[in-house]
Amino acid sequence: QVQLVESGGGLVQAGDSLRLSCAASGRTFSNQHMGWFRQAPGKEREFAASISWSGQRTYYADSVKGRFTISRDNAKNTVYLQMNSLKPEDTAVYYCASTPVGFTSRPGAYDYWGQGTQVTVSS
């Protein structure tokens, strides 16, 4: 099993930055590909960013490319999402998730999820 705990969300203004953290425990973190997803009210959960187990490969949704950066520190069992130039449309609950299967943006491929952290961006 893997336990994931997100932190770092909050209320910010448009143009501000936030850094989300996801602390992992349980199954060997360094073997897991990790992803960040988000879900806005009334919308389906959508992919934001993913990172391979080694950290050498990253992938972003078009909506966040150039503004968000995913990274990981395997020594600390933590994955991060640096979010810059935030927009009101980035408002959502952000979830981290893990998968041993492959480097992917498909939510169904991820088998463990955190409880989420709220990010609210005011205009």
Side-chain angles (χ1 to χ4, degrees), residues 10-89:
L11 172 62
V12 297
Q13 293 187 332
D16 285 350
S17 298
L18 275 177
R19 188 175 81 156
L20 305 183
S21 299
C22 173
S25 60
R27 187 192 296 170
T28 304
F29 176 75
S30 58
N31 292 341
Q32 305 293 306
H33 305 287
M34 300 296 295
W36 283 98
F37 295 79
R38 64 186 185 181
Q39 188 167 18
K43 295 187 177 181
E44 292 187 355
R45 190 169 299 189
E46 66 174 9
F47 169 77
S50 60
I51 188 166
S52 63
W53 66 269
S54 66
Q56 291 186 339
R57 287 191 297 165
T58 57
Y59 181 60
Y60 298 93
D62 288 344
S63 57
V64 307
K65 196 175 298 182
R67 299 187 298 121
F68 291 12
T69 302
I70 189 171
S71 62
R72 66 189 296 161
D73 185 338
N74 286 346
K76 296 183 178 179
N77 287 358
T78 302
V79 62
Y80 304 98
L81 187 67
Q82 177 66 44
M83 305 186 295
N84 298 330
S85 302
L86 282 162
K87 305 175 181 180
E89 51 264 43

